[in-house]
């Protein structure tokens, strides 16, 4: 390493609070949120519900808890949840779908993480002697592992219409719904309207230190509040966190297009490096398929780290680079140069 700052492209979760967030945290009005008495948390929940066009919202410590409660409020034990095969709920949440809600996943393989109503409809199971009935449809927008891909609004609308007709609820893992909105030019409210419950994260591209929100009907959020307590997510003077969340919500969505432009820069640069095949880079996530390089993804990740660039492997042949406000255009350029250097010996 040459003394330059580390370029951290492992995730947008690594973002640190902005100076405005830190000031707001310092000055936050607080109370005991388990009693519903934290004015800043209450303000954040009201504002999030308003932005998403839902009746109510619930502040939770993590996206995983938001999804866990989101699944629980719509399902009963022994049901199936239809989802994409690479979604976060199914793959990266320590089987909470089964552990907490007692449900099975009914995963559908897709090339881009985007489900269609046609695919979903085929997998709906009725209550019958051999079946676990379908209890919920879970969608992810943007889709993380597929490379930050975005649902076209028409596809969501079709799923919504079909689900309504079949009496099925939809939970949206919108950890990065603001990235989705920025990329497809629609409001988060339009996207959120296509689901019964929506989880989104303050602590990813929006830059808050901690926290996610689950939004839906008032009745569902009241039940959700009890599940949050069961899961140990009843926080006390959480207003210090909510204060940063409010800044994240108001100030950060407008700059996400910058992260998307940097991701495109990375993707275009990587496409010129021999041995790398680049995914779609629709938003702030770039998937790099290095199966043609003769090197394992984790070896590339190790070599990059030695040179001050952090990019995580997803599996033996895939790396994931995520842009965020902590890495500017110049940092992405430098990451590209480092990547080219690291990949070169494999093709010498
Ligand atoms: N994703 C993290 C890791 O868990 C992989 C990341 O670095 O991207 N839904 C989606 C789509 C997510 O990407 C994540 C986090 C979550 C839910 C869970 O959020 P947290 O980490 O707050 O529990």
């Amino acid at each position: 390493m040459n003394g330059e700052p580390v370029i951290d492209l492992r995730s947008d979760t690594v973002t640190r609070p902005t100076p405005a967030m830190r000031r707001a945290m310092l000055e936050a009005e607080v109370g005991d949120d388990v009693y519903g008495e934290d004015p800043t948390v209450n303000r954040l929940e009201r504002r999030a519900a308003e932005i998403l066009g839902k009746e109510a919202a619930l502040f939770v410590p993590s996206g995983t808890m938001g999804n866990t409660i989101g699944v629980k409020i719509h399902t009963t034990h022994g049901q199936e949840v239809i989802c994409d095969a690479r979604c976060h709920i199914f793959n990266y949440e320590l089987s909470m779908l089964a552990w907490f809600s007692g449900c099975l996943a009914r995963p559908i393989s897709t090339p881009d993480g985007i489900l269609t109503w046609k695919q979903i409809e085929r997998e709906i199971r009725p209550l019958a002697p051999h079946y676990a009935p379908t209890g919920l449809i879970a969608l992810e927008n943007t889709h993380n592992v597929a490379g930050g891909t975005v649902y076209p609004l028409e596809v969501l609308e079709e799923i919504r219409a079909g689900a309504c007709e079949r009496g099925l609820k939809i939970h949206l893992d919108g950890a990065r719904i603001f990235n989705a909105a920025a990329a497809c030019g629609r409001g988060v409210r339009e996207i959120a309207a296509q689901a019964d419950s929506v989880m989104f994260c303050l602590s990813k591209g929006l830059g808050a230190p901690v926290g996610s929100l689950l939004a839906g009907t008032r009745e569902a959020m009241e039940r959700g509040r009890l599940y949050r307590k069961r899961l140990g997510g009843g926080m006390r003077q959480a207003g210090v966190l909510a204060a940063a969340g409010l800044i994240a919500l108001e100030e950060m969505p407008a700059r996400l297009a910058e992260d998307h432009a940097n991701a495109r820069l990375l993707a275009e640069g990587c496409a010129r490096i021999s041995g790398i095949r680049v995914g779609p880079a629709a938003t702030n996530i770039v998937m790099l398929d290095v199966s043609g390089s003769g090197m394992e993804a984790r070896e590339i990740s190790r070599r990059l780290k030695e040179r001050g660039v952090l990019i995580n492997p997803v599996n033996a042949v895939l790396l994931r680079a995520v842009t965020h406000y902590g890495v500017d255009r110049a940092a992405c350029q430098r990451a590209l140069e480092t990547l080219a250097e690291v990949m070169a010996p494999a093709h010498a």
Side-chain angles (χ1 to χ4, degrees), residues 11-36:
S11 181
D12 44 11
T13 60
V14 302
T15 46
R16 314 254 164 98
T18 63
M21 287 178 197
R22 288 185 188 270
R23 271 196 304 279
M25 293 173 82
L26 186 70
E27 290 161 9
E29 232 189 304
V30 296
D32 191 326
D33 183 47
V34 172
Y35 291 103

Side-chain angles (χ1 to χ4, degrees), residues 291-313:
S291 53
S293 72
M295 261 194 286
E296 284 228 350
R298 74 165 171 223
E299 173 59 14
I300 296 172
S301 176
R302 194 189 62 74
R303 291 187 189 188
L304 286 168
K305 189 174 176 185
E306 276 174 3
R307 293 163 173 82
V309 175
L310 306 182
I311 299 181
N312 273 345

